[in-house]
Every structure is written in structure tokens, then in C-alpha cells.
Amino acid sequence: MKKLDTGLSSVEGFSFSAVQAGIRYENRLDFSLIYSSKPCNASGMFTTNRVFAAPVKICKERIGNAIHGILVNSTNANACTGENGVRTAEMLLSEAENLTKSPAASFLNASTGIIGRQLPGEKMKHALPDLVKGLSAANGDIIPRAIMTTDTKPKSAAFSFTTSKGEFAVAGTAKGSGMIAPNMATLLTFVITSAPVAKKNLDEIFRRVVEKTYNAITIDGDMSTNDTAIVLSPQSGENLSSAEDLAAFEEALNAVCTDLSYQLVRDAEGGTKCVTVKVHGAKSASDAKLCAKSISQSLLVKTAFFGNDPNWGRIACAAGYSGADFKMEEIDVSIEGIALLEAGQPFETDIKTLEAVMKRPEYTIDVTIGKGGHSFTFLTSDISYDYVKINAEYST
Amino acid sequence: MKKLDTGLSSVEGFSFSAVQAGIRYENRLDFSLIYSSKPCNASGMFTTNRVFAAPVKICKERIGNAIHGILVNSTNANACTGENGVRTAEMLLSEAENLTKSPAASFLNASTGIIGRQLPGEKMKHALPDLVKGLSAANGDIIPRAIMTTDTKPKSAAFSFTTSKGEFAVAGTAKGSGMIAPNMATLLTFVITSAPVAKKNLDEIFRRVVEKTYNAITIDGDMSTNDTAIVLSPQSGENLSSAEDLAAFEEALNAVCTDLSYQLVRDAEGGTKCVTVKVHGAKSASDAKLCAKSISQSLLVKTAFFGNDPNWGRIACAAGYSGADFKMEEIDVSIEGIALLEAGQPFETDIKTLEAVMKRPEYTIDVTIGKGGHSFTFLTSDISYDYVKINAEYST
């Protein structure tokens, strides 16, 4: 496996385009297309929010089809827009399918941005011919830029890997920033590969990878109406089929999604830290995840991270209310290997050393809650003044 | 039922005292005692955190005893202090029981403050004679002041009520500020009454009242290691027994706890708003509570409150991921009676009017999620720059 610095363009068979359609703002890339002339198998994981956007509804209906493209817009979520929102999205997809001479219902759709406003359908329809004309295999870097909302940096990652059937690439892009919570398919992320993988294998592998990556990061604990994770793999009579080949694909897919997860947390809204929270010694896998998630989501823990405050009491406290089964006499907490709490009681540590560690932009917290065999790792950000500022003023 | 402005001193049979014991800071009231020469029935609700403080352990063991006092300290939580922490607390309780000539194990205990430091037992022991000497029935107002941590205002409430056995009073005090979350017995709250109520009735009534008051408010969603709610009622052969008398007591107890709940949310750490979130039309009581809690705890909703931003999308979104069963086509959201979302779609509203409403320090959000018969009301605060500031810098 090898890391590539050529982003989405690393993957043969796909082309990319984005335009300024003026959806909510002028002079902003807001409408983009990922296209494959070959039909693809698609797997997707979507928000489990009962209030979900029109594109989520459409994707769920189409995810079993042979897919040729993903049409994406930023600045408007097309959520809480009722039947009208679904009709507008379907009209745009149908136009895009026609312009690329693709079969009906072969395009997926994703939107991000403000909730509760109808898409400007006619304006977007008029932008489609230019969008399709712009498609180019070399244009991979435009997609990460066009899908950003409050992200400060475009995000992409690519890896190549070797199988018995030759060398392939996997590449992905994501947009996140706020609202990234576990138990959902993160905000928007699109992964493409040149490796042909059967739909059934693709589904299984993608679910496993998302569970350990996008579903193991948290910024503010909210879950959006639009969360969408999609992977596309070209249909072929020559699918990867041996366990070794599928494992090589899974490893590369995991590397792409892990890399994007770090980028998402590093670019958290108003965030100044990227903290890895590792829970060990849990009695079950679900206890390990519950505990890691509870610590990672605690507002008191996250504000302490922001303040460079080694307040292990808040970490122990969040572990204690997580629902994970453990005895308080068995909990150990350490930061970058420096013990803070051992067997439920404070460990005398030099506060100056600790504070110096906590001033780093990235560090790891280890929490052991017993002698069980289960671990789980979460990534989290801090909560800063700027987080409050960005989110107090978002829609107005 | 009548509201009284005489605080804890409204309740005959109890006396109060507080001193500056220098537990963590000098010149600060930090050690206090609520005392009854008559034995009392006590009911308590305590944190369900697996990491719980020494006083919680002691209270749970003693709550069935005939109780004469509650010994409380602020500035040190006596949590994550192991066996040593329990021994120190038991020593102090035993000394206080001796000084007041009360039976062994007749005093309850509560602590609040920093986690993970041993109490200065000898220093506190030396403060006990003065603490006991200071006991006075007129001294009720000193308790709310002595139990504060980051609270900016002392909190108490008192009501009188009439029964077939005469007139009685109920009064309470609470300290909160941050970390107040549902599904626990809030931070520290002590309620006393002159009405004699059998232990079994007291338990049932207190549980019902706490569920609707302290368990229906949220500030940052964390749950502390020390949360303790206690009510004391004098033992007597003449307990309130008729349904009407018990209902009158429950009404007054509910009034005290509701009043204190409002005071807690109004004094939320860094909070500038007190928002009532009412969920209607739920299919079950638990759905109504889940939904109200999810909206009230959402960091995005709370930062929007701070920014006076009528971002109903975030409210609908938090309802959607709450776990409550509803269809997005059935959700209505309004603020102070102004419709924002009807049947899952935006309702055209004058933004200026809305923003004016949201600038008020207190308002109500109504969320209807169907045609079911269940409702639940939560109280919540906003999350401000100051919340982050207070909590980034607490322990250092």
C-alpha cells in the first residue's frame, strides 16, 4: 500500500467537474459532479435521523442500481423541503443523466448547507451543461473545494494497493467541520476505487471501515439531516475475490477513511486540538465504544482540552456515566503515557509537565476500565470560543 | 399554597449554620450543617455515575435511618478519593453527631467542588465546634450561600400549604450552575418540610417530583460524581395520610423544586437564556422526554439560542436523532407561538419579529411530533463564550 498525493485523480475511470451555480452565494464553487462512464457498484451509509434530506431519500432508493455519477451541491441542504425538494433533486439528476447519456436513475445525489430552503432548481438546471462540459479526469482537486461549507481546508486522501489482479487505487474526499457525530455516516464523503468489488463485498467492507473511522469521530455530537458516505467501484466480470485481495482493498479503503477522519477532526469548527481517546480493558466491544464516545462527546472534557487543563476528573466522570460496566476502583487515566489516575485515585504528577503536553495540538488519552479484552479508539476535537461564535451566527 | 420569602427558615424544627473552614480557599463559607433535633424520614436520589463520590456512598447506606442532619462542604467534591475519602467523611459525620448528641449514623453528607483531592480532615474537624455552635433557626439564608461553587446567586424557595392536620411549610436550596443534566438528582439540593410524611410516601412523591423538575433540566449534559437530592420530613405518629393531604404536600414540594429548577437554569454557567422546550403529540411518555431532552442538549441548538438565531432546522434535526418515533412530515416547531415549521416544512415568518422574540432572556419552544397524547417539558440554557471560558479554566 502506498500513499498518493494525486487525490481523486489517482483513480482511473472517473472524471470530475464543479461550477459556480450561485445557489446561495455568488462566486463560490457550489455544484459538482463525480462521473464514471462505466457503471459502478455503490455502497452507502446515511444519516439515521428521522428528519432526513431529499437527497438521502433518493440515494437510499437508488443505491442498488448501476451508478454512473454523484451530483453534489453545497450551501443548501435540501432538507425540510418536502415533496417539492425531492422533485427538484430528481429533475436535476434526470437532466444530468441525459446530458451524460447515462441510464435513468444512475446518478446519486448529496447536498449540504442551510436547512429549509428550496433549491433554486432552474438556476441549477442552467448550470448543468457547463458542469458536464467541465468533466475531466485531471480535475479531481476541484471536488474537495466545491463541497466545503464551514470547512477551512479541502480534504482528500488516496492510496494505491497491489492485488493478484494488478495494482489499483482508492481515493476519497470529505466535508465536515461541525455536527460530526458517531453513529452516522459522517457528513458528506465520497470514495472511489478502480478496483472492481462485488456489491455484497463492497457493502460489508464499507460498513466495517465506516464503523471504525467516520463513526468513531465526534465534534459536537449532533447528527445532521444529510450525512452521506458513498463508495463507488466499477462493475466488472473480474471482481477481486480472494480473501487476500479483499483484505488489501479493505486496508487501503480504511487508510483513506482514517486519513480523512483525521483531516475532519483537525478542521473541526473552531477546534484547536485533535485528541485520540483510547479505551482499553472493557468487558465488551460495545462498552469500549460507549465509554470512548462518552468521554469524546463530553462538553466539560472538550472545554478542558481547549483550556490545556489536565482535568482527569472530568474524563473519569464521563466514563462513569457512559453506561459502560466497570468499577471506579479499576479506572486508570493517562495522557501521552503520563499517569493521572490509577485504580480510581489521583496519581501525583508534575502539573507543569502535564500542561506542556496538553498544549500540543495533538495527543492521546488512554483510559483503562478493567481487565476485559475490548478496546475502542475515538477522535475528538476541543470546544473553543470560536466554535460558539461560528455556531451562534451561522444562519443569520 | 402560598409562596414564602423566608427561605429555609420558613420550616419549623430545623436550624442552620455555616463557617469558613478554609477547605480550599480562605475567607469563603464552605462548610455547613442543616440540623433537626427531631429524627426525620429522608428520601434521596443520587447520581447514577459509576464514578461516585464518598458522600454519595455514605448517603445511600444511611438513607433509611432516622436522620438528624446533613453536613455539606463546597470547594472539594471528595470524589476519586478512595477508602481514605470515605474514612474522612465518616470521621467528620461522627464528630458532628457527637457534638449535637445525635445517634450514630444519623447524619447525611454531601460535597461539591474539585474532584480527586482528599478533604483536609483535621482542619474541618477543628471547624466543627463553631459550626455546631452557630446553629440557629433564623440562619436559613446562610446555607444557599455556603453550598455555591460557580453559582453566581444563592438559591432557595419556600411554600406553605394547608392540610386537614394544619398548615405546613416546604423549603429547599440548591446549587448547580454547570454539569446539570437529566437522569440524575441534579447537583446538590436539600429540601426540608415541617409536614410529617411516612417514608414510603415520601420516597414515591419525591421520585415523581424530581423526575419532572431536576431531571428535566439540562445545562451541559454532563452528569456529576456527586449529584444528590435529599428531602427531610420529621418522624411523627401523625403522618399526612389522606390522598388530599398528600396531594397538597406533593403540590408544594413540586412548587419548591420547580422554582429551584428555574433558578438553576437562569444561573447556568455562562448562560444568557432560560428556554422552555415543550414536546407534544408523542406516541409515548418516553418518546416525549427523549425528544425534549435531545433538543435541550443539542450544542447546535444551544449556540443558536445564544446567537438569537431562529435556526429551527437544528431543532427539527435534534428531534430527528432523539430516538423518538415520528414522521418528518408531521413535525411542527414554533417559538413563543410563532410558527416556524409546519408539517416538516418552513413556515414563512417575519425574521425580524422572530429575532426580537429570541432576544428575550426567556421564551418557550413548542415542538409537536404527531397526534399522540404524550407531552414533556424541559428547561435549558444557551451555551456562550463565557461557558467555554469558565470551563476551560476551572481547575487550573
Short mmCIF file of all heavy atoms in Angstrom, two decimals, chain A residues 182-235:
data_model
loop_
_atom_site.label_atom_id
_atom_site.label_comp_id
_atom_site.label_asym_id
_atom_site.label_seq_id
_atom_site.Cartn_x
_atom_site.Cartn_y
_atom_site.Cartn_z
N PRO A 182 -20.78 10.39 15.95
CA PRO A 182 -20.75 8.96 15.66
C PRO A 182 -22.13 8.42 15.35
O PRO A 182 -23.13 9.11 15.49
CB PRO A 182 -20.21 8.38 16.95
CG PRO A 182 -20.55 9.37 17.99
CD PRO A 182 -20.59 10.70 17.34
N ASN A 183 -22.17 7.18 14.95
CA ASN A 183 -23.42 6.50 14.61
C ASN A 183 -24.14 7.14 13.45
O ASN A 183 -25.34 7.29 13.44
CB ASN A 183 -24.34 6.41 15.82
CG ASN A 183 -23.77 5.47 16.82
OD1 ASN A 183 -23.17 4.47 16.44
ND2 ASN A 183 -23.87 5.79 18.08
N MET A 184 -23.38 7.55 12.50
CA MET A 184 -23.96 8.05 11.28
C MET A 184 -22.85 7.94 10.27
O MET A 184 -21.73 7.58 10.59
CB MET A 184 -24.35 9.51 11.43
CG MET A 184 -23.19 10.35 11.89
SD MET A 184 -23.56 12.06 11.72
CE MET A 184 -21.98 12.68 11.22
N ALA A 185 -23.14 8.24 9.04
CA ALA A 185 -22.13 8.10 8.00
C ALA A 185 -21.40 9.42 7.77
O ALA A 185 -21.19 9.83 6.65
CB ALA A 185 -22.79 7.60 6.74
N THR A 186 -20.99 10.08 8.82
CA THR A 186 -20.34 11.40 8.82
C THR A 186 -21.13 12.40 7.96
O THR A 186 -22.28 12.17 7.65
CB THR A 186 -18.84 11.36 8.42
OG1 THR A 186 -18.27 12.65 8.66
CG2 THR A 186 -18.63 10.95 6.98
N LEU A 187 -20.56 13.55 7.66
CA LEU A 187 -21.32 14.46 6.80
C LEU A 187 -21.29 13.94 5.36
O LEU A 187 -21.87 12.94 5.06
CB LEU A 187 -20.78 15.88 6.96
CG LEU A 187 -21.21 16.56 8.27
CD1 LEU A 187 -21.14 18.06 8.16
CD2 LEU A 187 -22.59 16.16 8.73
N LEU A 188 -20.59 14.60 4.47
CA LEU A 188 -20.52 14.07 3.11
C LEU A 188 -19.15 13.50 2.85
O LEU A 188 -18.14 14.17 3.10
CB LEU A 188 -20.79 15.18 2.09
CG LEU A 188 -22.12 15.92 2.20
CD1 LEU A 188 -22.29 16.84 0.98
CD2 LEU A 188 -23.30 14.97 2.29
N THR A 189 -19.10 12.27 2.36
CA THR A 189 -17.82 11.71 1.94
C THR A 189 -18.05 10.78 0.76
O THR A 189 -19.00 9.99 0.76
CB THR A 189 -17.09 11.00 3.10
OG1 THR A 189 -15.85 10.48 2.60
CG2 THR A 189 -17.90 9.89 3.70
N PHE A 190 -17.20 10.94 -0.24
CA PHE A 190 -17.31 10.14 -1.46
C PHE A 190 -15.98 9.47 -1.70
O PHE A 190 -14.94 10.12 -1.72
CB PHE A 190 -17.67 11.04 -2.65
CG PHE A 190 -18.82 11.96 -2.34
CD1 PHE A 190 -18.62 13.33 -2.19
CD2 PHE A 190 -20.10 11.45 -2.14
CE1 PHE A 190 -19.67 14.18 -1.86
CE2 PHE A 190 -21.15 12.29 -1.81
CZ PHE A 190 -20.94 13.66 -1.67
N VAL A 191 -16.02 8.15 -1.85
CA VAL A 191 -14.81 7.38 -2.06
C VAL A 191 -14.97 6.64 -3.39
O VAL A 191 -16.05 6.12 -3.69
CB VAL A 191 -14.58 6.39 -0.90
CG1 VAL A 191 -13.28 5.63 -1.09
CG2 VAL A 191 -14.57 7.13 0.44
N ILE A 192 -13.91 6.64 -4.18
CA ILE A 192 -13.95 5.93 -5.47
C ILE A 192 -12.75 5.00 -5.55
O ILE A 192 -11.71 5.26 -4.94
CB ILE A 192 -13.95 6.92 -6.67
CG1 ILE A 192 -12.76 7.87 -6.58
CG2 ILE A 192 -15.26 7.70 -6.72
CD1 ILE A 192 -12.64 8.85 -7.74
N THR A 193 -12.93 3.92 -6.28
CA THR A 193 -11.80 2.99 -6.45
C THR A 193 -11.79 2.45 -7.88
O THR A 193 -12.85 2.34 -8.51
CB THR A 193 -11.86 1.83 -5.44
OG1 THR A 193 -10.71 0.99 -5.64
CG2 THR A 193 -13.12 1.00 -5.58
N SER A 194 -10.62 2.11 -8.35
CA SER A 194 -10.51 1.45 -9.65
C SER A 194 -10.65 -0.06 -9.50
O SER A 194 -10.78 -0.79 -10.49
CB SER A 194 -9.16 1.80 -10.30
OG SER A 194 -8.09 1.55 -9.40
N ALA A 195 -10.65 -0.53 -8.26
CA ALA A 195 -10.74 -1.98 -8.01
C ALA A 195 -12.18 -2.45 -8.16
O ALA A 195 -13.08 -1.90 -7.52
CB ALA A 195 -10.24 -2.29 -6.60
N PRO A 196 -12.43 -3.46 -8.97
CA PRO A 196 -13.79 -3.99 -9.08
C PRO A 196 -14.09 -4.90 -7.89
O PRO A 196 -13.37 -5.87 -7.65
CB PRO A 196 -13.76 -4.78 -10.39
CG PRO A 196 -12.32 -5.11 -10.63
CD PRO A 196 -11.48 -4.13 -9.87
N VAL A 197 -15.14 -4.55 -7.14
CA VAL A 197 -15.51 -5.31 -5.95
C VAL A 197 -17.01 -5.59 -6.03
O VAL A 197 -17.80 -4.68 -6.32
CB VAL A 197 -15.19 -4.53 -4.65
CG1 VAL A 197 -15.55 -5.34 -3.41
CG2 VAL A 197 -13.72 -4.12 -4.60
N ALA A 198 -17.38 -6.84 -5.81
CA ALA A 198 -18.80 -7.21 -5.87
C ALA A 198 -19.59 -6.41 -4.84
O ALA A 198 -19.08 -6.11 -3.76
CB ALA A 198 -18.96 -8.71 -5.61
N LYS A 199 -20.82 -6.06 -5.18
CA LYS A 199 -21.68 -5.25 -4.32
C LYS A 199 -21.73 -5.79 -2.87
O LYS A 199 -21.61 -5.02 -1.91
CB LYS A 199 -23.08 -5.22 -4.95
CG LYS A 199 -24.21 -4.69 -4.08
CD LYS A 199 -24.25 -3.18 -3.98
CE LYS A 199 -25.52 -2.72 -3.25
NZ LYS A 199 -25.32 -1.46 -2.53
N LYS A 200 -21.87 -7.10 -2.75
CA LYS A 200 -22.01 -7.70 -1.42
C LYS A 200 -20.73 -7.46 -0.59
O LYS A 200 -20.78 -7.06 0.58
CB LYS A 200 -22.28 -9.20 -1.55
CG LYS A 200 -22.53 -9.93 -0.25
CD LYS A 200 -22.93 -11.37 -0.53
CE LYS A 200 -22.70 -12.24 0.70
NZ LYS A 200 -21.26 -12.53 0.97
N ASN A 201 -19.57 -7.68 -1.22
CA ASN A 201 -18.31 -7.45 -0.51
C ASN A 201 -18.11 -5.96 -0.21
O ASN A 201 -17.63 -5.58 0.86
CB ASN A 201 -17.12 -7.95 -1.34
CG ASN A 201 -17.11 -9.47 -1.44
OD1 ASN A 201 -17.52 -10.15 -0.51
ND2 ASN A 201 -16.67 -9.99 -2.57
N LEU A 202 -18.47 -5.14 -1.18
CA LEU A 202 -18.31 -3.70 -1.00
C LEU A 202 -19.14 -3.21 0.20
O LEU A 202 -18.66 -2.45 1.04
CB LEU A 202 -18.77 -2.98 -2.29
CG LEU A 202 -18.35 -1.53 -2.49
CD1 LEU A 202 -16.83 -1.40 -2.60
CD2 LEU A 202 -19.02 -0.94 -3.75
N ASP A 203 -20.38 -3.69 0.30
CA ASP A 203 -21.26 -3.32 1.42
C ASP A 203 -20.64 -3.71 2.76
O ASP A 203 -20.58 -2.90 3.69
CB ASP A 203 -22.63 -4.03 1.29
CG ASP A 203 -23.52 -3.39 0.22
OD1 ASP A 203 -23.19 -2.28 -0.24
OD2 ASP A 203 -24.54 -4.02 -0.15
N GLU A 204 -20.20 -4.95 2.84
CA GLU A 204 -19.65 -5.45 4.11
C GLU A 204 -18.39 -4.68 4.52
O GLU A 204 -18.24 -4.29 5.68
CB GLU A 204 -19.27 -6.93 3.99
CG GLU A 204 -20.45 -7.88 4.08
CD GLU A 204 -20.01 -9.31 3.77
OE1 GLU A 204 -18.78 -9.57 3.76
OE2 GLU A 204 -20.90 -10.13 3.53
N ILE A 205 -17.50 -4.51 3.55
CA ILE A 205 -16.21 -3.86 3.85
C ILE A 205 -16.42 -2.40 4.20
O ILE A 205 -15.85 -1.88 5.16
CB ILE A 205 -15.25 -4.03 2.66
CG1 ILE A 205 -14.84 -5.50 2.54
CG2 ILE A 205 -14.02 -3.13 2.79
CD1 ILE A 205 -14.07 -5.84 1.26
N PHE A 206 -17.29 -1.72 3.45
CA PHE A 206 -17.51 -0.29 3.71
C PHE A 206 -18.12 -0.08 5.08
O PHE A 206 -17.72 0.81 5.83
CB PHE A 206 -18.40 0.29 2.61
CG PHE A 206 -18.40 1.80 2.57
CD1 PHE A 206 -17.22 2.53 2.61
CD2 PHE A 206 -19.60 2.51 2.46
CE1 PHE A 206 -17.23 3.92 2.55
CE2 PHE A 206 -19.62 3.90 2.40
CZ PHE A 206 -18.43 4.61 2.45
N ARG A 207 -19.07 -0.94 5.46
CA ARG A 207 -19.71 -0.81 6.77
C ARG A 207 -18.67 -0.98 7.89
O ARG A 207 -18.65 -0.20 8.84
CB ARG A 207 -20.83 -1.87 6.91
CG ARG A 207 -21.49 -1.93 8.29
CD ARG A 207 -22.72 -2.81 8.30
NE ARG A 207 -23.76 -2.25 7.46
CZ ARG A 207 -24.65 -1.31 7.85
NH1 ARG A 207 -24.60 -0.84 9.09
NH2 ARG A 207 -25.56 -0.86 7.04
N ARG A 208 -17.80 -1.98 7.73
CA ARG A 208 -16.77 -2.20 8.76
C ARG A 208 -15.83 -1.01 8.86
O ARG A 208 -15.47 -0.58 9.96
CB ARG A 208 -15.94 -3.45 8.40
CG ARG A 208 -16.41 -4.72 9.05
CD ARG A 208 -15.30 -5.76 9.12
NE ARG A 208 -14.71 -6.08 7.83
CZ ARG A 208 -15.16 -7.03 7.00
NH1 ARG A 208 -16.20 -7.77 7.35
NH2 ARG A 208 -14.57 -7.25 5.84
N VAL A 209 -15.43 -0.48 7.71
CA VAL A 209 -14.48 0.64 7.72
C VAL A 209 -15.13 1.89 8.30
O VAL A 209 -14.52 2.59 9.13
CB VAL A 209 -13.95 0.89 6.29
CG1 VAL A 209 -13.24 2.23 6.20
CG2 VAL A 209 -13.01 -0.25 5.87
N VAL A 210 -16.37 2.19 7.91
CA VAL A 210 -17.05 3.39 8.41
C VAL A 210 -17.21 3.32 9.94
O VAL A 210 -17.03 4.31 10.65
CB VAL A 210 -18.42 3.58 7.71
CG1 VAL A 210 -19.27 4.63 8.43
CG2 VAL A 210 -18.20 3.99 6.25
N GLU A 211 -17.50 2.13 10.43
CA GLU A 211 -17.70 1.94 11.87
C GLU A 211 -16.45 2.36 12.67
O GLU A 211 -16.55 2.95 13.74
CB GLU A 211 -18.02 0.45 12.12
CG GLU A 211 -18.73 0.16 13.42
CD GLU A 211 -20.01 0.96 13.60
OE1 GLU A 211 -20.72 1.27 12.61
OE2 GLU A 211 -20.28 1.30 14.75
N LYS A 212 -15.27 2.08 12.11
CA LYS A 212 -14.01 2.37 12.82
C LYS A 212 -13.47 3.77 12.52
O LYS A 212 -12.51 4.20 13.15
CB LYS A 212 -12.94 1.35 12.40
CG LYS A 212 -13.11 -0.03 13.00
CD LYS A 212 -11.93 -0.92 12.63
CE LYS A 212 -11.88 -1.13 11.10
NZ LYS A 212 -10.77 -1.98 10.66
N THR A 213 -14.02 4.43 11.49
CA THR A 213 -13.44 5.71 11.08
C THR A 213 -14.47 6.84 11.26
O THR A 213 -14.50 7.46 12.31
CB THR A 213 -12.94 5.64 9.62
OG1 THR A 213 -14.02 5.23 8.76
CG2 THR A 213 -11.79 4.64 9.49
N TYR A 214 -15.36 7.02 10.28
CA TYR A 214 -16.31 8.14 10.38
C TYR A 214 -17.25 8.00 11.57
O TYR A 214 -17.74 9.01 12.08
CB TYR A 214 -17.14 8.26 9.09
CG TYR A 214 -16.31 8.46 7.86
CD1 TYR A 214 -16.43 7.63 6.76
CD2 TYR A 214 -15.37 9.50 7.80
CE1 TYR A 214 -15.68 7.83 5.62
CE2 TYR A 214 -14.60 9.69 6.67
CZ TYR A 214 -14.76 8.86 5.58
OH TYR A 214 -14.00 9.05 4.46
N ASN A 215 -17.56 6.77 11.98
CA ASN A 215 -18.44 6.59 13.14
C ASN A 215 -17.67 6.59 14.46
O ASN A 215 -18.22 6.28 15.50
CB ASN A 215 -19.26 5.30 13.01
CG ASN A 215 -20.47 5.51 12.12
OD1 ASN A 215 -20.76 6.65 11.72
ND2 ASN A 215 -21.18 4.45 11.81
N ALA A 216 -16.40 6.93 14.42
CA ALA A 216 -15.58 6.98 15.64
C ALA A 216 -14.93 8.35 15.78
O ALA A 216 -13.85 8.48 16.34
CB ALA A 216 -14.54 5.87 15.63
N ILE A 217 -15.60 9.37 15.25
CA ILE A 217 -15.11 10.74 15.44
C ILE A 217 -16.29 11.59 15.91
O ILE A 217 -17.44 11.29 15.61
CB ILE A 217 -14.49 11.35 14.16
CG1 ILE A 217 -15.49 11.44 13.01
CG2 ILE A 217 -13.28 10.55 13.72
CD1 ILE A 217 -14.91 12.04 11.72
N THR A 218 -15.98 12.61 16.68
CA THR A 218 -17.07 13.47 17.15
C THR A 218 -16.57 14.90 17.27
O THR A 218 -15.44 15.14 17.68
CB THR A 218 -17.65 12.98 18.50
OG1 THR A 218 -18.67 13.90 18.91
CG2 THR A 218 -16.60 12.92 19.59
N ILE A 219 -17.40 15.83 16.86
CA ILE A 219 -17.06 17.24 17.06
C ILE A 219 -18.07 17.85 18.02
O ILE A 219 -17.74 18.15 19.15
CB ILE A 219 -16.91 17.97 15.71
CG1 ILE A 219 -15.64 17.45 15.03
CG2 ILE A 219 -16.82 19.49 15.93
CD1 ILE A 219 -15.40 17.91 13.64
N ASP A 220 -19.33 17.96 17.62
CA ASP A 220 -20.28 18.49 18.61
C ASP A 220 -21.39 17.51 18.99
O ASP A 220 -22.27 17.87 19.76
CB ASP A 220 -20.88 19.82 18.13
CG ASP A 220 -21.56 19.70 16.79
OD1 ASP A 220 -21.98 18.59 16.43
OD2 ASP A 220 -21.68 20.72 16.10
N GLY A 221 -21.34 16.29 18.47
CA GLY A 221 -22.31 15.29 18.92
C GLY A 221 -23.67 15.37 18.26
O GLY A 221 -24.52 14.53 18.48
N ASP A 222 -23.91 16.40 17.47
CA ASP A 222 -25.17 16.47 16.75
C ASP A 222 -25.09 15.56 15.51
O ASP A 222 -24.00 15.22 15.04
CB ASP A 222 -25.49 17.91 16.34
CG ASP A 222 -26.21 18.66 17.45
OD1 ASP A 222 -25.59 18.89 18.49
OD2 ASP A 222 -27.40 18.98 17.30
N MET A 223 -26.23 15.14 15.00
CA MET A 223 -26.26 14.29 13.80
C MET A 223 -27.10 14.99 12.75
O MET A 223 -28.23 15.38 13.01
CB MET A 223 -26.91 12.96 14.15
CG MET A 223 -26.91 11.98 12.99
SD MET A 223 -28.16 10.74 13.20
CE MET A 223 -27.44 9.75 14.49
N SER A 224 -26.52 15.17 11.57
CA SER A 224 -27.19 16.01 10.59
C SER A 224 -28.30 15.28 9.84
O SER A 224 -28.46 14.07 9.95
CB SER A 224 -26.16 16.59 9.63
OG SER A 224 -26.33 16.11 8.32
N THR A 225 -29.05 16.04 9.08
CA THR A 225 -30.13 15.52 8.24
C THR A 225 -29.61 14.98 6.92
O THR A 225 -30.36 14.40 6.15
CB THR A 225 -31.09 16.67 7.91
OG1 THR A 225 -30.32 17.77 7.44
CG2 THR A 225 -31.86 17.10 9.13
N ASN A 226 -28.32 15.20 6.62
CA ASN A 226 -27.80 14.95 5.29
C ASN A 226 -26.63 13.98 5.21
O ASN A 226 -26.11 13.73 4.13
CB ASN A 226 -27.32 16.28 4.67
CG ASN A 226 -28.47 17.18 4.29
OD1 ASN A 226 -29.24 17.57 5.15
ND2 ASN A 226 -28.60 17.47 3.02
N ASP A 227 -26.21 13.44 6.34
CA ASP A 227 -24.99 12.63 6.38
C ASP A 227 -25.02 11.51 5.35
O ASP A 227 -25.94 10.70 5.32
CB ASP A 227 -24.81 12.02 7.77
CG ASP A 227 -24.90 13.08 8.84
OD1 ASP A 227 -24.40 14.18 8.60
OD2 ASP A 227 -25.46 12.79 9.90
N THR A 228 -23.98 11.47 4.55
CA THR A 228 -23.93 10.54 3.43
C THR A 228 -22.49 10.09 3.21
O THR A 228 -21.60 10.93 3.08
CB THR A 228 -24.44 11.24 2.15
OG1 THR A 228 -25.82 11.59 2.34
CG2 THR A 228 -24.30 10.35 0.93
N ALA A 229 -22.30 8.79 3.18
CA ALA A 229 -20.99 8.23 2.81
C ALA A 229 -21.23 7.25 1.67
O ALA A 229 -22.06 6.35 1.79
CB ALA A 229 -20.37 7.50 3.99
N ILE A 230 -20.54 7.46 0.57
CA ILE A 230 -20.75 6.62 -0.61
C ILE A 230 -19.40 6.12 -1.12
O ILE A 230 -18.42 6.88 -1.14
CB ILE A 230 -21.46 7.42 -1.74
CG1 ILE A 230 -22.88 7.80 -1.32
CG2 ILE A 230 -21.50 6.61 -3.04
CD1 ILE A 230 -23.55 8.81 -2.25
N VAL A 231 -19.35 4.87 -1.55
CA VAL A 231 -18.16 4.37 -2.25
C VAL A 231 -18.61 3.78 -3.59
O VAL A 231 -19.66 3.15 -3.67
CB VAL A 231 -17.39 3.31 -1.40
CG1 VAL A 231 -18.26 2.13 -1.02
CG2 VAL A 231 -16.12 2.85 -2.10
N LEU A 232 -17.84 4.07 -4.64
CA LEU A 232 -18.14 3.55 -5.98
C LEU A 232 -17.00 2.66 -6.45
O LEU A 232 -15.83 3.02 -6.32
CB LEU A 232 -18.29 4.71 -6.99
CG LEU A 232 -19.39 5.74 -6.76
CD1 LEU A 232 -19.39 6.75 -7.93
CD2 LEU A 232 -20.76 5.08 -6.64
N SER A 233 -17.37 1.53 -7.04
CA SER A 233 -16.37 0.58 -7.58
C SER A 233 -16.90 0.09 -8.94
O SER A 233 -18.07 -0.27 -9.05
CB SER A 233 -16.24 -0.59 -6.59
OG SER A 233 -15.84 -1.76 -7.23
N PRO A 234 -16.06 0.09 -9.96
CA PRO A 234 -16.55 -0.26 -11.31
C PRO A 234 -17.06 -1.69 -11.39
O PRO A 234 -16.44 -2.60 -10.84
CB PRO A 234 -15.31 -0.07 -12.19
CG PRO A 234 -14.15 -0.17 -11.27
CD PRO A 234 -14.60 0.36 -9.96
N GLN A 235 -18.17 -1.87 -12.08
CA GLN A 235 -18.69 -3.22 -12.30
C GLN A 235 -17.78 -3.95 -13.29
O GLN A 235 -17.26 -3.33 -14.23
CB GLN A 235 -20.12 -3.17 -12.82
CG GLN A 235 -21.08 -2.64 -11.76
CD GLN A 235 -22.54 -2.70 -12.17
OE1 GLN A 235 -22.86 -2.80 -13.36
NE2 GLN A 235 -23.43 -2.67 -11.19
#
